[in-house]
Each structure stands twice: as structure tokens, then as C-alpha cells.
Amino acid sequence: MNNDQLLNHLTQQAVEARRLMLGKLIYNRLRGMVSHGPLKGFRLNENQIWGQGDLGPKLLGLYEQEVLERIVARRKKWECIINLGAGDGYYGVGLVKSGLSERSICFEQSDEGQAAIKRAGENNGVADRVTILGRAEADFLNRPELQGIDFSRTLIIVDIEGGEFSLLADELLNRLKDAELIVELHGRFISKDPNLETNFLERLEKYFHCDVFTMGSRDLSAISEVANLADSDRWLLCSEGRPFLMRWAYCRPISKQVESNG
């Protein structure tokens, strides 16, 4: 490792350590409660299983703001949220606590994550409306917990670290075609093939109208909780610690569009 590489490594370590410290500071200041955005009032676990450094932006309502904006823009209360790769329950519990969904079904493969979702559900008083299951396999729709779901009133959030490309095959997408999907795209995490996401989006577009979006700007002017922090710290609280600009696909059923035009 040369001097430039060493400096880069040490700088990255210092930045991440600062993010963690700021997250803990904001957590203590807000007593663990999300203070802004659609999930305002949602109490987070102090020890996050996935992305401990994301505590700050989550508490300030900045985390994946573009995803939340699309969920809220539908101006409807979902009957059910199905969250594949539910992590700590940010969506699976948060959207139920906020009143944006009646209930949720959370698929999370790690035991630690499942325990974290359970804890979040209990701490927010919605444990009875949050179902926690393990890894989502190709036949997950056949599970008894998913029978009788009205997919036209269901939002499916997919964040499975690259597993979306194999899991969301044509057969499954056809069964989900009446639902709305938000899929986090991880092509750059798992492959250098520039066609991986392109081919995947073409598959999605057989069943859905797809809007691909990325992280945009953040406005801190109305967030009083960080007004007394230095510029560098305030902007660091906007960081989600990603290695590159993340992309999501928001998918709306073609079938609904056809019906509305008919």
C-alpha cells in the first residue's frame, strides 16, 4: 500500500467513524424517535443490524427520501407492505407505525435482523401487525401467511443485495403484476456487466411501468436539530455511506393503466 492508498484508507475509516458518532449523538438528542418526514414518530432501535451509520439520516427523515416520497405520493393507505430484505424493519415496521400501511410481512434471512424487527415492532406498539419470516425464496408467495392478499392494495419493497436479478423471474413477476414494487438495484455491487440491470428492467417492463430514480439533494434548512452543528457534520448526516449513486425502480402495474384507460 503506497502513501496515497494509505491516506485514502485512513480517511475513509475516519469519515465512517464520524458518521457513527454523529448518528449516536442524534439518537440521544431525539431519544431514538424519527423527527421529520413520513415516518415521524417511529422509534428506531439504537443498535442497527444493517447500517449503524445510517441512524442519523434515518432519524432526521433524510434516509432514502426519494423512496418515501414515492410511497407517500400515492396518497393511499396500503393494505399490506411486503418487504423483501427487511433489515431492521425501517419500512416493514415504520410504514405500519406511521399509518401508511395496515400491516406488513417482513422477509429477513438473518436471525439478528428478525430479532431487530421484532424488537422494533414491540417498541412501536405494532408487533401484532408485523409478520416476520425468513429468507424469501422463489415460491414465497405460496406461504400460508401470504394467502388472501389483495395485491392491488399491496406495496412490495425489494432490497436483497443483488438477489433481485434471480428472484424476480417472469413467473413471479406475473403473479405480482397487480402490485406496486420498489426495487433497489444492486447491479454494480455484483457484476461489471452493464447489461445486467438493463436486461432486468426489460423483464420488469413486461408487467409494469418502471420509473428508475436515484438519490437527489437534501435540504437541511428546516431541521433545527442540526442547526448548531458544523457544516461538515451536517452534510455528513446526509450520507448513507454508499460506494456509489444508488438506483431504484418504482414499478406500477400495466394492468391498472389499461383499466383506467378503458
Side-chain angles (χ1 to χ4, degrees), residues 225-238:
E225 293 88 350
V226 300
N228 63 341
L229 295 179
D231 284 352
S232 296
D233 284 343
R234 283 189 290 110
W235 291 115
L236 193 54
L237 279 166
C238 296

Side-chain angles (χ1 to χ4, degrees), residues 21-255:
M21 185 280 290
L22 289 168
K24 186 172 182 179
L25 172 71
I26 297 299
Y27 187 91
N28 291 334
R29 185 171 293 180
L30 298 177
R31 299 181 180 179
M33 195 83 71
V34 175
S35 62
H36 297 271
L39 301 189
K40 183 177 180 179
F42 172 40
R43 187 177 297 279
L44 298 179
N45 298 332
E46 182 173 6
N47 296 314
Q48 296 282 291
I49 302 302
W50 294 97
Q52 182 68 18
D54 295 331
L55 259 181
K58 285 180 176 178
L59 288 162
L60 298 174
L62 301 172
Y63 183 79
E64 295 192 355
Q65 201 171 70
E66 295 75 18
V67 174
L68 285 170
E69 286 172 353
R70 281 160 175 77
I71 294 173
V72 173
R74 300 303 290 153
R75 293 182 175 86
K76 64 190 289 186
K77 184 172 185 176
W78 301 98
E79 183 177 288
C80 184
I81 299 291
I82 299 176
N83 194 182
L84 309 184
D88 291 81
Y90 182 68
Y91 291 117
V93 178
L95 292 173
V96 176
K97 170 63 176 179
S98 68
L100 289 168
S101 180
E102 290 284 350
R103 64 188 181 102
S104 70
I105 300 175
C106 298
F107 286 86
E108 172 53 48
Q109 66 179 357
S110 76
D111 293 339
E112 295 85 356
Q114 292 172 32
I117 297 167
K118 182 175 185 293
R119 187 161 59 251
E122 292 170 347
N123 290 341
N124 285 279
V126 296
D128 60 326
R129 292 188 282 141
V130 176
T131 300
I132 305 169
L133 303 173
R135 179 185 175 93
E137 303 291 353
D139 62 349
F140 76 89
L141 290 181
N142 296 331
R143 298 193 60 143
E145 297 88 350
L146 278 81
Q147 303 314 300
I149 288 179
D150 180 356
F151 286 108
S152 69
R153 300 182 61 193
T154 297
L155 174 66
I156 301 172
I157 301 175
V158 183
D159 181 5
I160 50 178
E161 307 303 316
E164 64 271 15
F165 300 107
S166 56
L167 179 66
L168 298 178
D170 279 283
E171 181 180 354
L172 181 57
L173 290 173
N174 185 52
R175 295 181 66 182
L176 296 175
K177 65 181 182 296
D178 292 327
E180 295 188 30
L181 278 66
I182 298 179
V183 184
E184 186 165 311
L185 303 171
H186 298 85
R188 293 178 63 185
F189 278 110
I190 65 172
S191 174
K192 294 182 179 179
D193 179 5
N195 295 318
L196 180 64
E197 286 189 4
T198 300
N199 294 337
F200 178 63
L201 289 169
E202 288 177 354
R203 187 192 313 160
L204 290 174
E205 287 171 348
K206 296 178 185 177
Y207 308 95
F208 303 94
H209 295 288
C210 296
D211 168 30
V212 176
F213 61 97
T214 64
M215 181 178 179
S217 61
R218 298 288 183 263
D219 182 2
L220 299 169
S221 61
I223 302 180
S224 60
E225 293 88 350
V226 300
N228 63 341
L229 295 179
D231 284 352
S232 296
D233 284 343
R234 283 189 290 110
W235 291 115
L236 193 54
L237 279 166
C238 296
S239 172
E240 298 176 9
R242 302 180 190 272
F244 44 74
L245 191 64
M246 184 55 66
R247 285 156 45 94
W248 292 266
Y250 178 42
C251 308
R252 295 175 294 110
I254 291 174
S255 58

